[in-house]
Amino acid sequence: MSSQHKLWSLVVIAGLFFSACSMPARFKPKNTATTPDGNPSLNGTPGKKHTKIEVFSWWVGGGEAAGLNAMIKVFKAEYPDIDFENAAVAGGAGTNARAVLASRLQAGDPPDSWQGHAGQELIGTYVKANQLESLNFLYAQEKWLDVMPKALIPLISKDGQIYSVPVNIHRANVLWYNPKILAANHLTVPTTLDEFLADLEVLKSTNTIPLALGEQWTAMHLFETVLLATLGPETYSGLWTGKADWSSPEVRKALENYQRVLQYTNSDSSTLSWQDAAQLVVDGDAAFYIMGDWTEAYYKELGKKPHADYGWAAVPGTKGVFQFLSDSFVLPVGAPNREGAIDWLKLAGSKEGQDAFNPVKGSIPVRSDTNRSLYDEYLQSAMDDWAKDILVGSLYHGVVANDSWKTEINTDLGIFLGDRDIDRFQAALVAACKSVGTCS
Ligand code: GAL
């Protein structure tokens, strides 16, 4: 276990455990449903009304919907009395969905549950706005504290209350590559940023796109990995807590590296989804792509084969560091079908639900007791890395910054993609940290 694992797990977990144990059991499990005459129903749920739950996410596109559908299938088999409304809104990384969700919450019209990210997106956005119910009662009832990673609990908790049910762990800092293109150009998989830049330079004079890139959020995804590769895990993490200095020469160096890497990307990036950009690699049009490990689910869906059509490595300069994010489902205050939403959360946190979802979604389960043999070679390697690597959180995918901070950085980065002015970008990043109150 890494020192960071230990660090995160201390203190909070103990408090959480005790508060979870003392929570009243507000949840009525499905097997205690009553018959019309008020007696508990032990087989099935004859007394239960036919109801509907609406679950919100952005898992529509290639490689994403399949994972959700696998979990919905288990849900429908287990809860035949509940109609499942899949309210997914298309758009990678939730770019569109998050906006739709925000206006629904504004209008007092929450879905029964939605998929968000563990970390500041959850705590610094929805919990801060009192939009979520505490789930301590469910953690106590389902004994989830025994099987969920201790490092994750503080990221989904505030003041001893736990606010979401994580269904997976994804890795952000993955370099995908086309092995045939590397071999044809006598290149090996780069392990440092300098090696990476040297490879990109070689590829520049070929017909191949050196580094695939998609729409703006994928550029921000690339940005956070280059920040990590340049600064290392400690300084990278310090940027989000006020311990590291956004105006430092090291951050400037990271921005220079980012600028250099961007020079090797396709000029039509803004018109491509993350899947389109991923496809350039397996179609033989691009050599490299930096993207989260949902990419592998997409490659498999396209029928592509590991090692032959694609390979993977940690983003150069980040070996031994796992930049993670965690998709997690929540219980909104005012969920129209609260009881049905709790049934969905129970499935999301269960071994059965996680083992149905993750092998297809291209992520690893959060629970420690799942069936490793269901996971492919890439995912087993991710499980091993998650257990031994230094953990740092993703920026775009909600772990380290709340929505306001992330939005400011995204705006500044959008301007940078146009003007490529490093001084202006760095000054804007310094200002963003101050405006959210993390830097003085
Ligand atoms: C992330 C999300 C992943 C995947 C990805 C691409 O934010 O956590 O599960 O969906 O976006 O859409």
Side-chain angles (χ1 to χ4, degrees):
M1 182 183 277
S2 73
S3 55
Q4 195 141 352
H5 262 114
K6 284 182 193 147
L7 193 75
W8 284 351
S9 62
L10 290 174
V11 190
V12 183
I13 186 73
L16 288 172
F17 179 75
F18 289 115
S19 59
C21 293
S22 61
M23 285 298 290
R26 282 188 280 156
F27 170 63
K28 193 168 67 163
K30 78 175 166 140
N31 284 342
T32 63
T34 51
T35 57
D37 56 7
N39 293 321
S41 151
L42 296 175
N43 73 23
T45 53
K48 205 163 180 177
K49 280 208 310 271
H50 203 80
T51 56
K52 183 192 87 171
I53 57 164
E54 185 195 14
V55 175
F56 192 91
S57 77
W58 55 85
W59 291 331
V60 174
E64 312 227 72
L68 178 60
N69 287 337
M71 202 156 71
I72 295 173
K73 194 169 159 201
V74 179
F75 183 79
K76 284 184 171 165
E78 212 160 306
Y79 300 95
D81 298 322
I82 305 179
D83 285 339
F84 188 94
E85 186 182 337
N86 181 353
V89 172
T95 37
N96 306 328
R98 301 280 322 280
V100 173
L101 179 63
S103 47
R104 284 190 58 174
L105 294 179
Q106 181 84 22
D109 173 32
D112 293 296
S113 182
W114 70 78
Q115 180 260 319
H117 293 120
Q120 280 304 309
E121 174 184 311
L122 180 86
I123 301 300
T125 311
Y126 305 120
V127 173
K128 194 173 168 198
N130 300 316
Q131 287 164 326
L132 299 181
E133 271 199 47
S134 162
L135 296 172
N136 284 25
F137 71 100
L138 200 52
Y139 272 73
Q141 180 194 299
E142 301 296 309
K143 300 189 173 42
W144 281 337
L145 288 177
D146 297 344
V147 289
M148 299 279 190
K150 294 188 176 17
L152 204 59
I153 301 296
L155 297 180
I156 53 174
S157 305
K158 189 167 180 226
D159 301 334
Q161 303 301 312
I162 308 178
Y163 285 98
S164 76
V165 181
V167 70
N168 69 1
I169 300 292
H170 265 307
R171 185 174 192 170
N173 60 324
V174 187
L175 176 74
W176 303 96
Y177 59 88
N178 180 312
K180 292 175 195 129
I181 295 178
L182 295 202
N185 291 284
H186 312 290
L187 299 174
T188 51
V189 181
T191 58
T192 64
L193 268 182
D194 284 344
E195 284 173 21
F196 187 38
L197 286 160
D199 283 3
L200 294 173
E201 187 60 28
V202 169
L203 291 159
K204 195 181 162 189
S205 50
T206 67
N207 289 333
T208 308
I209 298 162
L211 178 63
L213 187 68
E215 58 190 314
Q216 186 173 322
W217 78 262
T218 73
M220 183 135 147
H221 186 108
L222 176 64
F223 173 64
E224 69 183 59
T225 67
V226 174
L227 264 186
L228 173 63
T230 312
L231 301 174
E234 202 179 322
T235 306
Y236 169 84
S237 296
L239 290 176
W240 313 109
T241 58
K243 284 196 184 126
D245 180 5
W246 281 95
S247 64
S248 68
E250 291 76 25
V251 169
R252 194 191 156 89
K253 177 77 187 154
L255 303 187
E256 286 166 10
N257 284 338
Y258 182 53
Q259 159 97 303
R260 288 176 72 193
V261 164
L262 281 175
Q263 287 164 8
Y264 299 100
T265 58
N266 39 305
S267 54
D268 61 350
S269 58
S270 64
T271 64
L272 305 184
S273 67
W274 73 261
Q275 288 100 335
D276 297 334
Q279 195 156 350
L280 293 173
V281 171
V282 287
D283 283 354
D285 295 323
F288 294 109
Y289 183 43
I290 289 179
M291 185 42 59
D293 50 10
W294 42 89
T295 304
E296 211 227 356
Y298 183 54
Y299 287 159
K300 285 170 66 179
E301 199 170 285
L302 293 175
K304 301 296 177 184
K305 299 282 174 257
H307 307 299
D309 299 314
Y310 64 92
W312 61 85
V315 165
T318 70
K319 192 168 164 39
V321 184
F322 196 116
Q323 194 173 26
F324 79 95
L325 56 122
S326 172
D327 295 318
S328 46
F329 285 93
V330 297
L331 180 61
V333 170
N337 181 353
R338 181 176 182 275
E339 197 178 337
I342 290 169
D343 288 338
W344 171 252
L345 295 177
K346 279 172 65 182
L347 181 70
S350 72
K351 181 173 162 170
E352 194 191 5
Q354 299 208 351
D355 272 345
F357 175 76
N358 288 301
V360 188
K361 180 66 170 67
S363 43
I364 60 173
V366 182
R367 292 180 65 114
S368 55
D369 59 350
T370 48
N371 181 355
R372 183 178 166 101
S373 69
L374 296 172
Y375 295 80
D376 69 17
E377 182 191 345
Y378 166 73
L379 290 171
Q380 290 195 7
S381 77
M383 286 177 182
D384 295 342
D385 290 347
W386 166 254
K388 68 176 168 32
D389 281 2
I390 295 172
L391 305 182
V392 301
S394 163
L395 163 62
Y396 198 85
H397 309 282
V399 183
V400 292
N402 65 10
D403 277 9
S404 332
W405 197 357
K406 175 180 139 181
T407 305
E408 269 198 58
I409 295 176
N410 195 32
T411 305
D412 299 332
L413 186 136
I415 299 170
F416 179 71
L417 292 177
D419 70 10
R420 303 291 166 113
D421 181 340
I422 291 180
D423 290 335
R424 191 213 52 79
F425 190 23
Q426 187 165 14
L429 292 169
V430 171
C433 185
K434 283 188 184 146
S435 82
V436 292
T438 302
C439 301
S440 51

